[in-house]
Amino acid sequence: MKAHEIRARLDHPVVDADGHVLEYMPAVEPFLREAPGARLFQRWQTSRTPLARIMEADPKRRLATRAPQSAWWGTPARNTRDLATAIAPALLHERLPELGLDYAILYPTKGFGIAGIDDDELRQGICRGFNAFYAATYGPYADRLTAAGVIPMHT
């Protein structure tokens, strides 16, 4: 039985309370340049986390340094429509009935660790940039999608 068929039998809404945004970084970066400003954006680019540097390394360098494989399960590619659904809010919004969902609460994926940036000024600026991206990108679909923001609690 397909998800939409199961949903049709229910007499209550179905809410996905643990969905995830799969951020397409070329779309996020303009928000990261604007929110914290050029100086902090440059600092963020040059002070990327060790995990980010590992994930960006070419396979030969990873092999030579024995760096671990990045999380391959977060970006499935066999079904490109499903991958696009995780990246494009309009497509996710359109497909919710097919997925058997009435509403989805979405959490950051690539933006998940940004609240842990040690530098106060950088952390606040980068969080502001990611949150501006989430608001601008998912806001038009607020009738059925909510993207959670990242709120650092350090300061």
Side-chain angles (χ1 to χ4, degrees):
M1 186 175 288
K2 296 193 180 248
H4 71 274
E5 295 169 335
I6 295 169
R7 170 61 192 96
R9 293 180 172 195
L10 302 175
D11 63 355
H12 59 80
V14 176
V15 177
D16 178 358
D18 190 22
H20 277 266
V21 168
L22 186 54
E23 300 91 337
Y24 178 61
M25 290 309 293
V28 178
E29 285 187 355
F31 293 91
L32 298 180
R33 278 189 204 91
E34 185 176 322
R39 177 182 58 84
L40 286 176
F41 177 71
Q42 182 62 36
R43 188 168 15 156
W44 177 73
Q45 283 194 308
T46 58
S47 68
R48 303 292 293 279
T49 66
L51 179 58
R53 287 192 299 270
I54 288 168
M55 290 172 61
E56 293 167 358
D58 71 88
K60 287 182 182 179
R61 182 168 182 268
R62 281 200 340 263
L63 180 62
T65 61
R66 301 290 189 242
Q69 166 66 43
S70 66
W72 56 268
W73 59 89
T75 53
R78 178 170 288 171
N79 183 331
T80 55
R81 187 160 190 244
D82 285 349
L83 177 58
T85 301
I87 295 170
L91 183 56
L92 174 59
H93 188 268
E94 175 186 312
R95 290 189 69 196
L96 282 178
E98 173 191 343
L99 300 171
L101 300 172
D102 295 294
Y103 199 87
I105 301 168
L106 307 168
Y107 296 92
T109 298
K110 294 180 180 175
F112 190 68
I114 60 174
I117 297 171
D118 288 333
D119 180 303
D120 291 345
E121 184 181 33
L122 184 59
R123 177 181 60 251
Q124 291 168 8
I126 295 300
C127 286
R128 190 169 36 256
F130 267 94
N131 288 340
F133 165 77
Y134 300 135
T137 307
Y138 289 85
Y141 308 98
D143 64 320
R144 300 184 62 207
L145 301 175
T146 294
V150 179
I151 303 171
M153 304 296 278
H154 299 67
T155 56

